[in-house]
Amino acid sequence: MDDRAARRSGYALTIPDVLLDSDAMRQACAARNFQEIFRLVNRRTGSSHAVMAAAVGKMTSSRVSDIIRGVRGIRGREVIERVADGFGIPGEMLGLPARPWESSGDSAQSDVALPVSVPQFDRGKRVIQALEVMNNDSAGALPVVLGELIDHYALAIYSMPLTDVYEELLTVRNYASTFLGASLPAGHRKEITLSIGWLSCLLGVAACDMGSHAAAHVWCSDAERRSQEVGHPELSGWAVLTKSLIAFYQGRPHQSVALAGQGQSITASGTLVHAKLATQEMRAAAMAGDAARTETARRYASKEMAGLPHDVALVGAFSMSPGEDPPYTATSLMLLGRHHEAVTATNRVLETLYRPGARQRGEHPSSHARALLILGLAQAGAGNLDEAVSAGHDALAGSRPAWPTVTLAGKLSRVLERRFPKAVLVEEYRCRYLEVVGQPIGNTV
């Protein structure tokens, strides 16, 4: 992370540099066109109005909506400064003096170093402040705003540093759980209970990517319990899917297959999670060496995908990637030793989802890295050293080494050492892999 990114990363809704440096954002800031600034942040980051309001502070989600629609504007230096600080926009871009956080940590202007935990605490605190304002405005607003936050975190979980998103999720979930002890209408209690379940499910996903498997299982089990309380089996299905993923990456394919089957038994055919569980069963069966079950699961997953509605989520924690083949087909082919077919299938996935300009490239960097590592493993199995090493280096060039990514990177290192002993390229990749292993999983490099 460069100095500017490090200085900006602790703020409530730090917009990505690619957006900050875009012509559209620079022109909007120079003109102080806050309607366009808010619209860009909303659309390019996927942040809900509630999250944007929390970032700016002393603002409601309805006002954010009014600003984006052009009904209301922003005036007053103090509000403009809050926008700059909340979104991490350098002062000069908005015609302000440099913001305090723009000074580098070793600047002579400041002798006090703030602890790392403060920005993370502020993130959660600002979200809670916004939730309190929303709930004070309307007693029935909490379920709606929680729903917006869940949609936001389902996307942010694959782009924000995991420690940050985990802390925010935990803070929001703790706040929401305090309402279960209050006297609530039955409908509101059910909605809040379901929201708590989805937040627990997302905490399970974040803990899994951080390599905290025990915590992930606890959160997934809580999500299953909430699902049973309100009669919402799809939530249980997503929680069981995370458990199956953990077993898969831990090298326990039979348990992963069993969990994927369990998830399918409790979810309805025609739902997104049911189809996703079928694809997970396919690759877990391939890891177990069961070619017949792999093919059966692949055919079933293809049938389920064909029956899904056209408006299913394509990005985020509760989504399925589009494509000619079911997700994980390339992984399954690679695991069954069909390396040349796996190379073709993986290149097709990379071209469809992660080519320059494709929607998912920046929204799910960990998934992109894993696809590259599957390509590297397939190329290694096919005997293509240069291509395998190149794919491995590309995968590790990202800034978010989640636990499954590190696991696959280690497998590629071992396969390369076994198939191409003493090759200089293999040693170079191994050194890069060891550098990544030395980094905290889930944090930005």
Side-chain angles (χ1 to χ4, degrees):
M1 182 188 294
D2 60 26
D3 287 344
R4 185 180 77 164
R7 291 195 297 273
R8 295 177 63 239
S9 64
Y11 283 79
L13 198 167
T14 305
I15 60 179
D17 281 342
V18 66
L19 173 56
L20 188 73
D21 294 334
S22 67
D23 290 340
M25 179 60 78
R26 289 191 173 278
Q27 291 170 10
C29 288
R32 288 193 173 181
N33 182 348
F34 290 100
Q35 178 185 7
E36 181 66 5
I37 292 170
F38 276 54
R39 187 190 67 80
L40 288 168
V41 172
N42 174 239
R43 294 188 180 181
R44 301 282 185 88
T45 71
S47 300
S48 69
H49 294 176
V51 170
M52 293 172 66
V56 176
K58 301 180 183 179
M59 185 173 287
T60 64
S61 59
S62 60
R63 183 177 178 188
V64 171
S65 176
D66 287 345
I67 293 169
I68 291 173
R69 291 185 295 116
V71 176
R72 299 179 66 180
I74 287 182
R75 297 180 181 84
R77 183 186 180 93
E78 187 267 340
V79 183
I80 296 173
E81 288 176 344
R82 292 207 318 270
V83 171
D85 293 341
F87 294 166
I89 300 174
E92 66 174 357
M93 291 183 66
L94 288 169
L96 299 171
R99 309 305 301 146
W101 47 267
E102 292 185 69
S103 301
S104 60
D106 57 358
S107 171
Q109 297 177 2
S110 176
D111 297 322
V112 181
L114 294 176
V116 174
S117 59
V118 170
Q120 293 178 356
F121 172 78
D122 284 347
R123 284 176 182 266
K125 183 179 178 181
R126 289 188 177 189
V127 176
I128 297 306
Q129 287 173 338
L131 283 169
E132 289 174 341
V133 170
M134 298 302 105
N135 203 47
N136 288 336
D137 286 348
S138 171
L142 183 61
V144 176
V145 178
L146 286 176
E148 286 189 359
L149 284 173
I150 289 164
D151 291 342
H152 162 70
Y153 287 121
L155 290 174
I157 201 168
Y158 289 133
S159 55
M160 287 175 62
L162 278 169
T163 50
D164 289 352
V165 75
Y166 186 90
E167 290 298 327
E168 284 195 33
L169 281 166
L170 183 59
T171 302
V172 173
R173 191 203 171 281
N174 285 341
Y175 176 80
S177 66
T178 62
F179 287 84
L180 293 182
S183 177
L184 292 171
H188 283 181
R189 177 175 294 277
K190 182 176 180 179
E191 290 176 329
I192 292 174
T193 299
L194 181 58
S195 293
I196 289 172
W198 284 115
L199 291 166
S200 289
C201 193
L202 287 167
L203 281 162
V205 173
C208 169
D209 274 6
M210 294 168 73
S212 301
H213 305 141
H217 276 281
V218 170
W219 290 120
C220 289
S221 295
D222 182 71
E224 291 177 77
R225 181 166 65 88
R226 307 290 177 178
S227 172
Q228 293 165 6
E229 287 179 15
V230 299
H232 194 90
E234 289 184 35
L235 172 56
S236 278
W238 287 108
V240 172
L241 176 62
T242 297
K243 290 183 175 180
S244 182
L245 292 173
I246 292 172
F248 176 83
Y249 283 106
Q250 286 180 336
R252 295 182 285 118
H254 295 289
Q255 183 178 3
S256 184
V257 167
L259 286 165
Q262 174 192 330
Q264 290 174 78
S265 70
I266 60 177
T267 54
S269 174
T271 59
L272 179 58
V273 66
H274 189 84
K276 193 70 175 278
L277 284 158
T279 66
Q280 173 59 22
E281 179 187 353
M282 173 185 65
R283 70 167 172 176
M287 178 181 275
D290 190 339
R293 184 161 186 172
T294 300
E295 180 58 24
T296 300
R298 186 194 67 77
R299 288 198 300 269
Y300 183 71
S302 296
K303 179 180 76 68
E304 285 295 304
M305 288 179 62
L308 291 175
H310 296 296
D311 60 350
V312 296
L314 302 180
V315 293
F318 309 120
S319 68
M320 178 176 284
S321 301
E324 298 178 19
D325 306 311
Y328 312 142
T329 295
T331 304
S332 301
L333 291 169
M334 184 271 295
L335 290 169
L336 290 173
R338 297 162 62 178
H339 297 113
H340 292 285
E341 294 174 74
V343 168
T344 300
T346 311
N347 278 325
R348 189 158 55 237
V349 170
L350 289 167
E351 173 62 22
T352 301
L353 299 181
Y354 305 112
R355 68 186 183 278
R359 181 176 175 79
Q360 284 198 11
R361 185 180 181 90
E363 293 178 352
H364 199 337
S366 183
S367 181
H368 183 209
R370 287 176 224 177
L372 288 166
L373 289 166
I374 293 300
L375 176 62
L377 287 164
Q379 293 282 19
N384 303 322
L385 172 60
D386 290 352
E387 292 83 354
V389 171
S390 176
H393 279 296
D394 286 347
L396 297 181
S399 61
R400 194 177 181 277
W403 168 69
T405 304
V406 173
T407 300
L408 281 178
K411 182 176 182 179
L412 177 59
S413 181
R414 293 189 295 274
V415 168
L416 288 171
E417 289 178 55
R418 184 172 64 250
R419 290 188 60 89
F420 308 99
K422 299 182 180 180
V424 174
L425 290 177
V426 172
E427 181 59 25
E428 290 175 351
Y429 171 76
R430 179 176 176 274
C431 290
R432 174 58 185 145
Y433 161 69
L434 292 175
E435 287 177 9
V436 171
V437 172
Q439 296 164 357
I441 293 175
N443 289 308
T444 304
V445 180

